[in-house]
Amino acid sequence: MADVWDAGDAYEGYMGRWSRPLAAAFVEWLGAPDGLEWLDVGCGTGAVTAAIVTGAAPSAVLAIDPSPGFVATARRLTASPLARFTVGDAATLPMGDDAVDRCVSGLVVNFLPDASAAVAEMRRVTRRGGWVAAYVWDYAGGMELLREFWAAAVTVDPGAAQMDERHRFPLCAPGPLGELWRSAGLDGVESRPLTVSTHFPDFDDLWAPFLGGQGPAPAYVGSLTPERRPALARELRRRLHPSADGAIELTARAWAVRGRRR
């Protein structure tokens, strides 16, 4: 089953409540001075670009993504003259060598067909002394929602295990990320966890975005027959243990990595 990335509004409803505070924490960790030029690779619906504009005082941000639908949503949600959005491919970035001061990517590297080639491209377009940095979800243990979702899915459909990002993306851990960055020729490589929490007023608020089809878990839900989806929803609700008023509190951890261009 192929991952689907074409409806920006649906993805924003599913992941935006996590990805936007996470992007702000990532940009704060980078700690860049004012006036730099940035490139956001795989910008999605614009969470990282928005965090750069509001938190890093850039001179300009170019954001690229292969999905026209995501680019359209990002452009609408990030109303800033400093940000420019375009459709593009991480493997062939649309600029010359030494073009930006910071090249970043959020929640994307593990989905790329050739992560090594993409990081090499990110290094190529970054000026000497500039940072190349990214972050990915800790699918193995730090993303509570997805851990419970896939546990529920396997309970009602053992074949769902093959879709679980924990098995699909071994890259999403400090060791493999650091090695990927060092193999690209980046210096001073370091990684750290970034954690965000999210409040859902009720289970319906949590479940509805899974029906939008964007990303592995929603794509799996979309593959189920209408008769089977309620069974998955019931099992997921049981595992999440809503409070007496129906609210659900969850946390999510990502791993961030950065390295300097020589």
Side-chain angles (χ1 to χ4, degrees):
M1 184 185 305
D3 300 324
V4 178
W5 313 101
D6 57 13
D9 288 346
Y11 178 83
E12 184 67 18
Y14 169 53
M15 195 55 65
R17 70 181 81 201
W18 306 91
S19 61
R20 291 191 176 266
L22 186 63
F26 171 68
V27 171
E28 182 180 5
W29 175 54
L30 292 182
D34 296 353
L36 299 185
E37 294 181 87
W38 294 68
L39 173 64
D40 179 5
V41 177
C43 67
T45 54
V48 175
T49 299
I52 294 167
V53 168
T54 60
S59 63
V61 187
L62 174 62
I64 71 166
D65 196 274
S67 167
F70 277 32
V71 167
T73 299
R75 188 178 289 122
R76 176 171 54 81
L77 295 178
T78 310
S80 169
L82 298 175
R84 182 164 61 93
F85 296 90
T86 187
V87 175
D89 185 350
T92 54
L93 295 175
M95 55 183 56
D97 297 350
D98 308 316
V100 296
D101 302 296
R102 297 289 185 271
C103 187
V104 297
S105 184
L107 305 178
V108 170
V109 173
N110 53 290
F111 289 105
L112 298 175
D114 188 340
S116 295
V119 177
E121 267 289 271
M122 293 172 70
R123 177 187 178 278
R124 178 186 68 77
V125 303
T126 303
R127 294 176 181 129
R128 297 184 184 279
W131 287 108
V132 176
Y135 60 95
V136 294
W137 286 124
D138 176 10
Y139 291 114
M143 187 53 162
E144 283 187 304
L145 177 60
L146 290 179
R147 291 279 47 79
E148 297 298 345
F149 173 87
W150 289 114
V154 170
T155 297
V156 301
D157 172 21
Q162 64 182 338
M163 286 286 293
D164 187 340
E165 294 99 328
R166 173 177 55 181
H167 304 308
R168 292 178 58 196
F169 301 129
L171 173 66
C172 296
L177 281 173
E179 180 55 34
L180 177 63
W181 251 240
R182 283 186 287 271
S183 68
L186 295 161
D187 287 342
V189 175
E190 57 183 313
S191 61
R192 63 159 291 177
L194 302 172
T195 302
V196 295
S197 60
T198 299
H199 170 85
F200 299 89
D202 53 42
F203 180 78
D204 288 344
D205 182 55
L206 179 148
W207 177 248
F210 281 101
L211 306 178
Q214 301 300 297
Y220 170 74
V221 173
S223 75
L224 298 176
T225 64
E227 294 75 24
R228 299 193 70 181
R229 286 177 203 155
L232 173 56
R234 287 192 297 270
E235 178 63 17
L236 180 58
R237 184 197 296 264
R238 184 188 70 80
R239 288 177 172 274
L240 291 175
H241 307 295
S243 63
D245 65 357
I248 299 169
E249 307 284 343
L250 295 172
T251 61
R253 182 173 66 200
W255 289 109
V257 62
R258 65 185 181 187
R260 285 195 184 276
R261 166 82 191 274
R262 294 172 185 163

